[in-house]
Amino acid sequence: MSNFVSQLAVRVKNKAKRLLQGTIQRSRQWVHLKRAQYQPLNNESGICYQSVRDSLTQVNLLARPIVNSMDFLPDRYSFSGMDFSDSPHVEFAHAYLKSGNDPTWDYTQSRYYQLAKAGRLPFPVKGECQARMRCQQFIWMIEQIKRHGYQPKRFGAIVLVDTTDSKWMVINGKHRLAALLALGEKNVDVFIGIENETRAQFRRMSQSVWPPSAYSLSFQAMETLGKLNGEKADEIQQLIEQIKKQKLETWANIYHPLPFYEFGNLTTQVAPDTPYQRLQMILDAAGGDVQDKRVLDLGCNLGFYSFSLAHRGANAIGVEMREDYHGISKKVVELYNMDVDFRKDLLTPELIDDIGDVDITLCFSMIQWVIEQQGMDYGKAILRKISQRSKLLLFDVSVNHGAAALTCPRGQEIIYVQNLLADATDYTDIQCVGKVHPYDVDTRFVFACRHPGSVPQIQSSLSKPQC
Ligand SMILES: C[S@@+](CC[C@H](N)C(=O)[O-])C[C@H]1O[C@@H](n2cnc3c(N)ncnc32)[C@H](O)[C@@H]1O
């Protein structure tokens, strides 16, 4: 009898628990759908197009269909992946221009205004006051573009990214694009965004929505980002299989990402945001534009930074001692016809002299290995040589955490790295420009080192304290 009672009590308890969990889940879903409001991108979490001043490409806006980017609004309200020419932005710009300053035209009747008021535009706006302000700013922008033209270098470029079905997805600058389309402009300069970097920028947002099934349009749109290398599909697939078999890392397929669409499903040893955060720091420290810059990537592994900078027109040289990593990078160069010079070499001061003068050197998470192999003096000799040969050095090292880490009293990690760089290099301008957490639980402080006046920096991000 007592057994029956205790079993019954357990069943009742489990049922109550399931009911409670279900109620919590439904309430959270209800709150999400009710709010249905755009959450702005967190620019800290990845590459930020607004601050990158890459070189632009002229495109014909009518040559390919343009679709809306992921907005992570619930499916009922989402515009993700839909034809941009049907968007409320384009509709608004057309209606405004058609009105020809007609005083009776009432923008509050537009779909754009109504959606903005309800917080359902892919833009962080809600309520009557903010919606009015947004419409007024949009009208002002249309007028500016009409009178003075679209000035991407001054006010920021439209960012388009390839989709696997040969469309463009507009990632940034929807209002500018809508104004240009309504004004009948065809050939405009845009920044052709890079698929894996765009994904990285949206990753945090995609992980924060709940339940994911209510945001399927945004997830579907994200899936379409990318440019397929159809010609080499079989060889690429073979390389991916080979990489999986090689077991290069302890808990993932590869150390850091290979920035090409086909390799996007390989798992990485470092936290997914880390390479993109460092890439943003490199671009900021280099003044935004790396076109034709000579970049030396030390301990380059599979070449994430070399490839990413080569995508932006840099002339990259990667140095890596391991044959297996080097073999993969060389194969990728061949498959994608990339202009990167990967060298299988041990890093030595002589090698740096042999490579000669460069604009940017990257030395991420690698000098501790050289110091472990050859001693501290040797590591310092390499740093000295870099400072004689490179205008800019981007550097981090593991301190007090991980294999081969340098050590110092706890709490003094930042000053330890700063002192190391001040002691071992000829750079006089040594600044901490950010931090990364490659294994989630650790912190590496990233430093930019320059000779005075040698490299223009982007003030907006470097002027704020980063560490
Ligand atoms: C921790 S990984 C860092 C990779 C890359 N720099 C990054 O941050 O994503 C260190 C890399 O340096 C390479 N390495 C270590 N010692 C080296 C040396 N003496 N010469 C050249 N490469 C070396 C390793 O094989 C490995 O690929």
Side-chain angles (χ1 to χ4, degrees):
M1 183 67 182
S2 74
N3 200 12
F4 172 76
V5 172
S6 66
Q7 275 180 0
L8 190 68
V10 171
R11 271 204 219 150
V12 170
K13 198 174 133 202
N14 286 345
K15 180 121 188 160
K17 206 168 143 192
R18 278 198 301 275
L19 262 171
L20 186 67
Q21 279 170 342
T23 311
I24 292 172
Q25 209 173 30
R26 276 192 296 279
S27 326
R28 287 179 69 181
Q29 186 166 3
W30 182 83
V31 169
H32 264 265
L33 291 172
K34 191 85 185 149
R35 280 167 66 205
Q37 212 187 335
Y38 179 75
Q39 308 162 33
L41 278 181
N42 174 8
N43 288 333
E44 300 290 311
S45 65
I47 198 104
C48 158
Y49 291 106
Q50 282 86 343
S51 68
V52 176
R53 286 189 255 131
D54 290 85
S55 43
L56 305 177
T57 308
Q58 192 176 82
V59 299
N60 180 341
L61 294 178
L62 305 181
R64 289 160 69 171
I66 302 176
V67 294
N68 277 297
S69 68
M70 296 67 65
D71 51 30
F72 286 100
L73 286 168
D75 288 347
R76 279 174 70 183
Y77 310 116
S78 177
F79 295 98
S80 304
M82 292 179 191
D83 189 346
F84 185 69
S85 58
D86 292 337
S87 70
H89 298 62
V90 175
E91 198 177 282
F92 185 94
H94 269 302
Y96 169 71
L97 288 169
K98 202 167 153 219
S99 78
N101 292 334
D102 173 357
T104 61
W105 182 65
D106 180 5
Y107 68 76
T108 64
Q109 298 305 311
S110 68
R111 185 163 61 117
Y112 180 90
Y113 171 83
Q114 295 297 335
L115 289 168
K117 199 170 93 174
R120 285 173 194 160
L121 265 193
F123 215 85
V125 163
K126 197 175 185 183
E128 209 169 290
C129 173
Q130 288 187 3
R132 282 185 186 280
M133 177 195 73
R134 183 102 288 277
C135 290
Q136 287 161 21
Q137 283 177 335
F138 195 5
I139 289 172
W140 179 83
M141 176 192 272
I142 299 168
E143 279 297 331
Q144 293 306 303
I145 292 179
K146 192 171 146 192
R147 291 175 199 184
H148 309 292
Y150 155 67
Q151 297 176 52
K153 286 276 173 195
R154 202 161 154 212
F155 298 113
I158 293 163
V159 179
L160 300 178
V161 180
D162 280 290
T163 69
T164 49
D165 48 0
S166 302
K167 295 177 180 164
W168 292 119
M169 185 181 285
V170 53
I171 301 293
N172 200 25
K174 289 193 192 75
H175 292 84
R176 276 158 281 182
L177 179 60
L180 287 167
L181 286 170
L183 285 163
E185 295 285 337
K186 275 194 207 127
N187 298 314
V188 296
D189 289 340
V190 302
F191 173 58
I192 306 292
I194 298 161
E195 162 264 319
N196 63 305
E197 294 173 15
T198 308
R199 265 177 219 277
Q201 185 163 359
F202 281 86
R203 186 182 294 123
R204 280 275 167 87
M205 202 200 264
S206 72
Q207 286 167 345
S208 73
V209 295
W210 191 91
S213 56
Y215 298 83
S216 61
L217 288 175
S218 289
F219 283 101
Q220 278 163 24
M222 209 155 151
E223 281 300 303
T224 67
L225 281 176
K227 197 173 182 179
L228 292 165
N229 184 341
E231 270 177 38
K232 302 277 173 74
D234 291 344
E235 278 179 83
I236 293 170
Q237 204 43 49
Q238 277 169 20
L239 180 59
I240 291 172
E241 293 310 319
Q242 176 204 314
I243 290 173
K244 285 182 181 165
K245 281 195 199 122
Q246 271 178 295
K247 300 208 181 306
L248 298 163
E249 309 299 335
T250 45
W251 64 76
N253 301 133
I254 45 180
Y255 180 76
H256 58 200
L258 273 166
F260 300 90
Y261 175 75
E262 288 80 359
F263 293 84
N265 287 331
L266 291 178
T267 53
T268 60
Q269 185 93 347
V270 288
D273 284 344
T274 294
Y276 296 97
Q277 288 165 337
R278 283 200 188 118
L279 181 58
Q280 180 71 60
M281 292 175 213
I282 300 168
L283 293 167
D284 279 355
D289 190 356
V290 292
Q291 179 83 38
D292 298 325
K293 295 275 187 302
R294 206 160 180 245
V295 180
L296 176 57
D297 183 2
L298 301 176
C300 65
N301 200 269
L302 295 182
F304 170 81
Y305 300 100
S306 296
F307 284 127
S308 300
L309 296 171
H311 283 318
R312 298 180 151 77
N315 301 315
I317 305 150
V319 175
E320 171 55 53
M321 71 170 191
R322 270 179 57 174
E323 178 73 50
D324 46 5
Y325 292 144
H326 175 74
I328 295 168
S329 318
K330 289 293 270 185
K331 187 73 193 163
V332 174
V333 162
E334 190 191 306
L335 290 170
Y336 291 88
N337 198 18
M338 293 295 293
D339 190 11
V340 181
D341 176 11
F342 284 111
R343 299 185 178 199
K344 198 207 87 57
D345 261 317
L346 261 188
L347 178 57
T348 63
E350 295 73 32
L351 180 75
I352 295 173
D353 262 339
D354 182 45
I355 289 167
D357 293 341
V358 297
D359 296 293
I360 306 168
T361 297
L362 312 176
C363 186
F364 292 133
S365 284
M366 82 85 59
I367 206 73
Q368 72 270 19
W369 294 106
V370 175
I371 291 170
E372 194 189 62
Q373 294 151 17
Q374 307 276 355
M376 180 55 97
D377 287 346
Y378 197 83
K380 286 186 174 177
I382 285 180
L383 288 173
R384 173 92 51 213
K385 192 53 85 183
I386 294 171
S387 66
Q388 290 161 358
R389 288 297 196 167
S390 182
K391 290 181 191 157
L392 171 67
L393 165 67
L394 271 296
F395 178 88
D396 68 29
V397 62
S398 57
V399 183
N400 291 339
H401 195 281
L406 304 183
T407 54
C408 74
R410 301 249 158 221
Q412 293 188 20
E413 287 83 356
I414 310 178
I415 194 73
Y416 176 81
V417 180
Q418 171 120 27
N419 286 346
L420 171 70
L421 290 166
D423 175 36
T425 73
D426 294 341
Y427 293 114
T428 50
D429 180 358
I430 299 171
Q431 292 182 40
C432 180
V433 292
K435 54 187 180 307
V436 287
H437 311 281
Y439 298 113
D440 286 327
V441 288
D442 59 337
T443 300
R444 268 167 228 191
F445 295 95
V446 180
F447 282 76
C449 313
R450 337 175 146 68
H451 300 295
S454 59
V455 188
Q457 344 175 349
I458 291 185
Q459 284 304 329
S460 58
S461 43
L462 288 181
S463 53
K464 60 178 191 239
Q466 298 286 330
C467 288

